[in-house]
Amino acid sequence: MGILEKIAEIEREISRTQKNKATEYHLGLLKAKLAKYRAQLLEPSKSSGAKGEGFDVMKSGDARVALIGFPSVGKSTFLSLMTSTESETASYEFTTLTCIPGVIEVSVLGRAAQLIEIKLQRR
């Protein structure tokens, strides 16, 4: 049953239902469903786009900083220079296939910040 059929069925139910104190709650539920289905008609489905893989990185340090950018812009080189993490670098795109975490020590403040490398994919 599609959204249009559901809307028509709810509208028929509303027209058949007597309006009195005993049916107020039922009519309110029907109107809420009707509003939800009409909103679905107006807005495209959010699940229609391709979803990428998610990742989970255990937090370490006092703060988190994400290095986000397109391929081959120097995120891995920067991460390797600033932290003791070894991130693979090469002259081709998408050398790094996962999220790479590293920790940078800020000696002046006695604090540590976590750097996370995240790549953007072109569409």
Side-chain angles (χ1 to χ4, degrees):
M1 179 182 270
I3 293 177
L4 292 175
E5 291 88 12
K6 290 179 183 179
I7 289 174
E9 184 178 326
I10 291 173
E11 287 174 340
R12 280 193 300 274
E13 176 73 21
I14 288 174
S15 67
R16 286 190 309 238
T17 305
Q18 273 188 330
K19 293 173 180 66
N20 59 43
K21 195 167 191 126
T23 61
E24 281 180 359
Y25 181 74
H26 178 67
L27 287 171
L29 290 177
L30 290 175
K31 288 179 182 180
K33 283 183 185 179
L34 187 61
K36 183 181 86 171
Y37 289 136
R38 286 182 177 161
Q40 285 179 358
L41 275 180
L42 295 176
E43 296 176 11
S45 177
K46 294 178 182 168
S47 63
S48 63
K51 293 185 179 182
E53 292 181 21
F55 58 88
D56 188 22
V57 179
M58 191 171 89
K59 184 179 179 188
S60 63
D62 298 312
R64 280 185 156 174
V65 178
L67 303 173
I68 302 174
F70 290 108
S72 302
V73 295
K75 297 181 303 294
S76 297
T77 304
F78 181 77
L79 184 71
S80 295
L81 289 173
M82 297 303 292
T83 67
S84 60
T85 304
E86 289 300 320
S87 182
E88 183 181 346
T89 57
S91 62
Y92 55 90
E93 292 185 350
F94 302 109
T95 307
T96 306
L97 298 176
T98 62
C99 177
I100 307 290
V103 177
I104 182 171
E105 299 289 332
V106 182
S107 59
V108 176
L109 301 173
R111 304 285 177 152
Q114 184 178 32
L115 293 178
I116 302 171
E117 177 186 353
I118 303 172
K119 69 176 177 347
L120 295 177
Q121 292 185 3
R122 294 183 179 136
R123 291 183 190 221

Coordinates of all heavy atoms in Angstrom, one line a residue, residues 53-57 67 75-76 79 86-88 94-101 116-121:
E53 N 30.7 3.9 4.5 CA 31.0 3.1 5.7 C 31.2 4.0 6.9 O 31.8 5.1 6.8 CB 32.2 2.3 5.5 CG 32.1 1.2 4.5 CD 33.3 0.3 4.3 OE1 34.2 0.4 5.2 OE2 33.5 -0.3 3.3
G54 N 30.7 3.6 8.0 CA 31.0 4.4 9.3 C 32.2 3.9 9.9 O 32.8 2.9 9.5
F55 N 32.7 4.6 10.9 CA 33.8 4.2 11.7 C 33.7 4.7 13.1 O 32.9 5.6 13.4 CB 35.1 4.8 11.1 CG 35.1 6.3 11.0 CD1 35.6 7.1 12.0 CD2 34.7 6.9 9.8 CE1 35.6 8.4 11.9 CE2 34.7 8.3 9.7 CZ 35.1 9.1 10.8
D56 N 34.4 4.1 14.0 CA 34.4 4.4 15.4 C 35.8 4.5 15.9 O 36.6 3.6 15.7 CB 33.6 3.3 16.2 CG 33.4 3.7 17.6 OD1 33.4 4.9 17.9 OD2 33.2 2.8 18.5
V57 N 36.2 5.6 16.5 CA 37.5 5.8 16.9 C 37.5 6.1 18.4 O 36.8 7.0 18.9 CB 38.2 7.1 16.2 CG1 39.6 7.3 16.7 CG2 38.2 6.9 14.7
L67 N 41.1 16.1 10.6 CA 41.7 16.6 9.4 C 40.8 16.1 8.2 O 40.9 14.9 7.9 CB 43.1 16.1 9.2 CG 44.1 16.4 10.4 CD1 45.4 15.7 10.2 CD2 44.3 17.9 10.5
K75 N 47.0 15.4 4.1 CA 46.6 15.0 5.4 C 47.4 14.0 6.1 O 47.8 14.1 7.3 CB 45.1 14.5 5.4 CG 44.1 15.5 4.9 CD 42.7 15.0 4.8 CE 42.6 13.7 4.0 NZ 42.8 13.9 2.6
S76 N 47.8 12.9 5.4 CA 48.6 11.8 5.9 C 50.0 12.3 6.3 O 50.6 12.0 7.3 CB 48.7 10.7 5.0 OG 47.4 10.1 4.7
L79 N 49.7 14.5 9.4 CA 49.5 13.6 10.6 C 50.8 12.9 11.0 O 51.1 12.8 12.2 CB 48.4 12.6 10.2 CG 48.0 11.6 11.4 CD1 47.2 12.4 12.4 CD2 47.2 10.5 10.9
E86 N 52.4 6.5 12.0 CA 52.8 6.2 10.6 C 51.6 6.0 9.7 O 51.0 5.0 9.8 CB 53.8 5.0 10.6 CG 55.1 5.3 11.2 CD 55.9 6.4 10.6 OE1 55.9 6.5 9.4 OE2 56.5 7.2 11.4
S87 N 51.4 7.0 8.9 CA 50.3 6.9 7.9 C 50.9 6.7 6.5 O 51.8 7.4 6.1 CB 49.4 8.1 8.0 OG 48.3 8.0 7.1
E88 N 50.4 5.7 5.8 CA 51.0 5.4 4.5 C 50.7 6.5 3.5 O 49.6 7.1 3.4 CB 50.3 4.1 3.9 CG 50.9 3.7 2.6 CD 50.2 2.4 2.1 OE1 49.5 1.8 2.9 OE2 50.4 2.1 0.9
F94 N 43.5 8.0 -2.6 CA 42.9 7.0 -1.8 C 44.0 6.0 -1.2 O 43.7 4.8 -1.2 CB 41.7 6.3 -2.4 CG 40.7 7.2 -2.9 CD1 40.4 7.5 -4.2 CD2 39.9 7.8 -1.9 CE1 39.5 8.4 -4.6 CE2 38.9 8.7 -2.3 CZ 38.7 9.0 -3.6
T95 N 45.1 6.4 -0.9 CA 46.1 5.6 -0.2 C 45.6 5.2 1.2 O 45.7 4.0 1.6 CB 47.5 6.3 -0.1 OG1 47.8 6.8 -1.3 CG2 48.5 5.4 0.5
T96 N 45.0 6.1 1.9 CA 44.4 5.9 3.2 C 43.0 5.5 3.0 O 42.2 6.3 2.5 CB 44.5 7.2 4.0 OG1 45.8 7.6 4.1 CG2 44.0 6.9 5.5
L97 N 42.6 4.3 3.4 CA 41.3 3.8 3.2 C 40.4 3.8 4.5 O 39.2 3.6 4.4 CB 41.3 2.3 2.6 CG 42.0 2.2 1.3 CD1 42.1 0.8 0.9 CD2 41.3 3.0 0.2
T98 N 41.0 4.0 5.6 CA 40.3 4.1 6.9 C 40.6 5.3 7.6 O 41.5 6.1 7.2 CB 40.6 2.9 7.7 OG1 42.0 2.9 8.1 CG2 40.3 1.6 7.1
C99 N 39.9 5.5 8.7 CA 40.2 6.7 9.6 C 41.5 6.4 10.4 O 41.7 5.3 11.0 CB 39.0 6.9 10.5 SG 39.3 8.2 11.7
I100 N 42.4 7.3 10.4 CA 43.7 7.2 11.0 C 43.8 8.1 12.2 O 43.8 9.4 12.0 CB 44.9 7.4 10.1 CG1 44.8 6.6 8.8 CG2 46.2 7.2 10.8 CD1 45.0 5.2 9.0
P101 N 43.8 7.6 13.5 CA 43.9 8.5 14.6 C 45.4 8.7 15.0 O 46.2 7.8 14.9 CB 43.2 7.8 15.7 CG 43.3 6.4 15.4 CD 43.4 6.3 13.9
I116 N 42.6 13.2 13.9 CA 41.9 12.1 13.1 C 41.9 12.5 11.7 O 41.4 13.6 11.3 CB 40.5 11.9 13.6 CG1 40.5 11.6 15.1 CG2 39.8 10.8 12.8 CD1 39.1 11.5 15.7
E117 N 42.4 11.6 10.8 CA 42.4 11.9 9.4 C 41.2 11.3 8.8 O 40.9 10.1 8.9 CB 43.7 11.3 8.8 CG 43.7 11.4 7.3 CD 44.9 10.6 6.7 OE1 45.7 10.1 7.4 OE2 44.9 10.6 5.4
I118 N 40.5 12.1 8.0 CA 39.2 11.7 7.4 C 39.3 12.2 5.9 O 39.6 13.3 5.7 CB 38.0 12.2 8.1 CG1 37.9 11.8 9.5 CG2 36.7 11.7 7.3 CD1 36.9 12.4 10.3
K119 N 39.0 11.3 5.0 CA 39.1 11.7 3.6 C 37.7 12.0 3.0 O 36.7 11.4 3.5 CB 39.8 10.7 2.7 CG 39.0 9.4 2.6 CD 39.7 8.4 1.7 CE 39.0 7.1 1.5 NZ 38.0 6.7 2.4
L120 N 37.6 12.9 2.1 CA 36.3 13.1 1.4 C 36.4 12.4 0.1 O 37.4 12.3 -0.6 CB 36.1 14.6 1.1 CG 35.9 15.5 2.3 CD1 35.8 17.0 1.9 CD2 34.7 15.1 3.1
Q121 N 35.3 11.8 -0.4 CA 35.2 11.2 -1.6 C 34.5 12.1 -2.6 O 33.5 12.6 -2.3 CB 34.5 9.8 -1.5 CG 35.3 8.8 -0.7 CD 34.6 7.5 -0.7 OE1 33.6 7.3 -1.4 NE2 35.2 6.6 0.0

